[in-house]
Amino acid sequence: MTLIKRNTLTGFILAAAMVMSLNACGNKDSYEIAEYGTETADTSKEAGGPENEAVVEGTLDGRLGGSEFTFQKDITVRGVNVSFDINYKVYNEIDRIPIYSVRSVTEDDIQEEEIVNNIFGDSAEKLDEEGRELSVENGDSLRIIESGMNAYASFLNRNYSMGYKCAAWVEEEDFFIHTYEGSYRDVPYQMMIIYDREYEGIYYNLYPKNPGDVIGNDTCDHFAVNWGDGNMVLYDENAALGAVTPIGINVNEALAGVENLTQSSSEELEDMVHEIMTEKFECTVYDGMISSAKEAGMEIIFYPGDSLHDPKLSGAVRNGYIVSNMTLAGLLVYRKGMYERFIGNPEAMVDDEGVFGIGLSKNYEFIDQVSPDSEILDFNSAMASLEKAVQDNIDSIMGTNTRKDLTIDYAELIYYPQPSPDTEGEYALVPAWESDIIDGNGTVGIIYINAMDGSFLAFDEFNF
């Protein structure tokens, strides 16, 4: 098992915690809002309301009114104290924000046979024999096994079995799991395709059976990610019992002086993404992914299992990079069921030979680009709209929560699927702000507002 840091919750390949979701309309009654604290902002524009004029003037920082923002304000709504403590920084050089028309994917969109044949060719083998079980003891891919185990936990709310094992071929009412084996990059690989009928999501997972085959070193039977802080936690698996023992290692120190890190162009990854996702829209792979990967520390570490007990990670090899977010026109994309399904780590892995591992989800088919650009509110106006949305929907946000203190400390500009008023299953991907709402026990939920006019879109409640 590999520990993957939790990044922003939205995106085509993002996975999230197994929690329940609720799109609530909220309470629209008017009432008094008492301010019990102070409000500060470091932006150059005064905070306005939702009626403020939207801005379209080139780059994202120009539209928002700056590149770094702070919004701090304390209010009391119906006896609930709400503290806004948001810091936001513009990282991507976005010069346009198109609006897209999309539809939900169906089983017809899976293209299972075509994709499997494109990757494995004549070597493709269905692992559909009755009773076929994937396990570490049988030499199956640990990442593929984890995907299957997570699918069982997500769909059935239970573990498949003790230990690192899962069924290779499953047909259930709400989902299916299909596993294939074949040769990719001239080494044995496995591919698992999962379809979620409830939330209409397709999951593609492709990994080598033995990671060391990728680098021609069969002693390296694991791989993980160095996120750059040097304090990555690796895990030692006991396949028979499914026990994990964390081993804290400073990876940067352990691998100092190793020069065998390789680097691939992002074109190969984009080709793979297009082949699996869609060819009908432009897909931007994490801006500057390759050029900035070393600075970001998103390196792939191949290592022998027994090296975990060695503070120098003897035998470990750095080879390639991981991408954990994919964007559409520079923004991450919300996907249906993102809080209910944790199928696998969001990732695409590349080295000098191209793509060597993927965990992608597909939730939309793109119909058209409705508009080449859109107008969005400046940051302060957007935060005023967020405040109003919290006020108007406080009952839905609180639900059965008895705590009286909430904090909103996060805001991110994303694409959100706004349902079509005319056609079921069709959406407009519109720019939106998402914000976590937390209390003393963790995340209560996430609220979404339209970035163009400040209107409330949805509240996804977390039920643990």
Side-chain angles (χ1 to χ4, degrees):
M1 179 184 292
T2 304
L3 181 67
I4 300 292
K5 270 187 180 175
R6 174 176 177 255
N7 287 321
T8 308
L9 286 171
T10 50
F12 286 114
I13 59 172
L14 294 185
M18 287 159 41
V19 292
M20 297 302 294
S21 166
L22 171 65
N23 288 333
C25 294
N27 191 315
K28 298 297 183 181
D29 296 340
S30 60
Y31 40 84
E32 293 298 319
I33 306 299
E35 298 191 14
Y36 75 92
T38 59
E39 174 185 1
T40 63
D42 68 357
T43 58
S44 59
K45 296 186 179 182
E46 294 183 1
E51 72 280 358
N52 277 28
E53 183 177 353
V55 181
V56 53
E57 49 179 79
T59 60
L60 183 57
D61 55 357
R63 300 168 192 240
L64 295 179
S67 58
E68 293 190 44
F69 305 90
T70 296
F71 178 67
Q72 295 176 327
K73 188 174 184 178
D74 299 327
I75 62 175
T76 300
V77 187
R78 293 191 177 181
V80 179
N81 298 325
V82 183
S83 294
F84 295 85
D85 186 15
I86 295 173
N87 294 292
Y88 177 77
K89 183 176 182 179
V90 177
Y91 287 99
N92 292 337
E93 296 181 1
I94 299 172
D95 57 7
R96 63 188 185 90
I97 306 176
I99 297 177
Y100 298 92
S101 173
V102 301
R103 65 169 175 81
S104 299
V105 296
T106 67
E107 291 191 53
D108 293 336
D109 297 313
I110 299 175
Q111 298 178 298
E112 184 170 336
E113 183 176 352
E114 178 182 350
I115 287 176
V116 170
N117 288 336
N118 284 344
I119 293 175
F120 289 148
D122 295 337
S123 68
E125 175 188 355
K126 274 186 181 182
L127 303 185
D128 60 347
E129 60 269 28
E130 185 175 355
R132 175 67 158 90
E133 191 174 62
L134 303 175
S135 68
V136 174
E137 294 94 331
N138 292 335
D140 295 306
S141 167
L142 181 59
R143 283 293 177 92
I144 293 294
I145 295 169
E146 287 176 339
S147 297
M149 292 173 64
N150 288 333
Y152 258 82
S154 295
F155 292 117
L156 302 178
N157 197 28
R158 63 180 173 85
N159 291 327
Y160 171 74
S161 67
M162 291 296 291
Y164 280 85
K165 300 177 181 179
C166 75
W169 203 272
V170 179
E171 299 286 352
E172 295 279 354
E173 182 178 353
D174 293 334
F175 72 99
F176 71 66
I177 298 174
H178 294 169
T179 309
Y180 296 83
E181 191 167 298
S183 177
Y184 174 70
R185 293 179 49 150
D186 296 324
V187 299
Y189 264 73
Q190 289 178 326
M191 183 172 195
M192 178 176 284
I193 298 177
I194 303 167
Y195 181 63
D196 178 357
R197 293 188 175 95
E198 181 180 358
Y199 289 100
E200 298 170 312
I202 308 169
Y203 300 84
Y204 302 95
N205 299 277
L206 174 71
Y207 295 103
K209 294 182 68 174
N210 178 25
D213 290 342
V214 172
I215 58 174
N217 183 343
D218 58 9
T219 66
C220 290
D221 49 4
H222 296 76
F223 62 89
V225 182
N226 175 17
W227 289 94
D229 57 12
N231 295 314
M232 180 176 68
V233 178
L234 304 175
Y235 286 85
D236 187 12
E237 296 92 357
N238 181 318
L241 300 177
V244 292
T245 304
I247 312 289
I249 293 177
N250 188 304
V251 179
N252 290 342
E253 292 181 4
L255 298 178
V258 178
E259 300 297 337
N260 56 350
L261 182 66
T262 60
Q263 181 171 312
S264 169
S265 74
S266 61
E267 293 180 3
E268 178 78 17
L269 178 56
E270 291 210 44
D271 289 342
M272 173 69 81
V273 172
H274 276 295
E275 180 178 334
I276 288 181
M277 305 297 285
T278 179
E279 296 180 357
K280 298 179 180 178
F281 78 108
E282 56 177 301
C283 177
T284 305
V285 178
Y286 193 89
D287 290 345
M289 179 273 297
I290 294 300
S291 61
S292 64
K294 189 170 185 179
E295 287 72 23
M298 297 167 67
E299 306 166 341
I300 305 298
I301 311 298
F302 292 81
Y303 59 94
D306 55 10
S307 72
L308 291 180
H309 302 278
D310 181 348
K312 294 186 178 180
L313 271 181
S314 298
V317 176
R318 293 191 292 186
N319 189 87
Y321 296 94
I322 187 171
V323 187
S324 60
N325 290 329
M326 288 191 183
T327 64
L328 176 63
L331 300 180
L332 297 169
V333 182
Y334 174 98
R335 64 178 177 82
K336 295 179 297 179
M338 59 188 295
Y339 305 122
E340 289 79 7
R341 306 300 186 230
F342 181 54
I343 306 302
N345 293 315
E347 57 196 19
M349 301 177 179
V350 294
D351 62 10
D352 280 347
E353 302 300 319
V355 178
F356 69 82
I358 56 172
L360 302 177
S361 71
K362 178 178 181 177
N363 297 87
Y364 309 109
E365 278 289 342
F366 282 71
I367 300 173
D368 198 5
Q369 184 184 96
V370 177
S371 171
D373 206 349
S374 60
E375 299 178 349
I376 63 173
L377 296 172
D378 64 83
F379 182 82
N380 281 327
S381 297
M383 293 302 99
S385 297
L386 174 62
E387 179 186 342
K388 183 177 186 303
V390 171
Q391 296 169 3
D392 291 346
N393 296 277
I394 192 66
D395 290 341
S396 297
I397 292 171
M398 291 303 296
T400 58
N401 193 322
T402 58
R403 300 182 69 89
K404 296 298 183 181
D405 297 294
L406 299 177
T407 300
I408 301 175
D409 63 356
Y410 161 86
E412 184 64 42
L413 189 62
I414 67 165
Y415 272 117
Y416 187 88
Q418 191 168 28
S420 167
D422 304 317
T423 307
E424 184 178 359
E426 289 191 4
Y427 307 85
L429 288 184
V430 299
W433 288 96
E434 71 165 12
S435 292
D436 288 358
I437 301 178
I438 62 177
D439 68 2
N441 295 322
T443 302
V444 174
I446 298 183
I447 191 169
Y448 300 88
I449 65 168
N450 192 311
M452 297 185 292
D453 60 14
S455 60
F456 171 74
L457 289 172
F459 172 67
D460 285 338
E461 182 182 11
F462 280 21
N463 290 326
F464 293 95

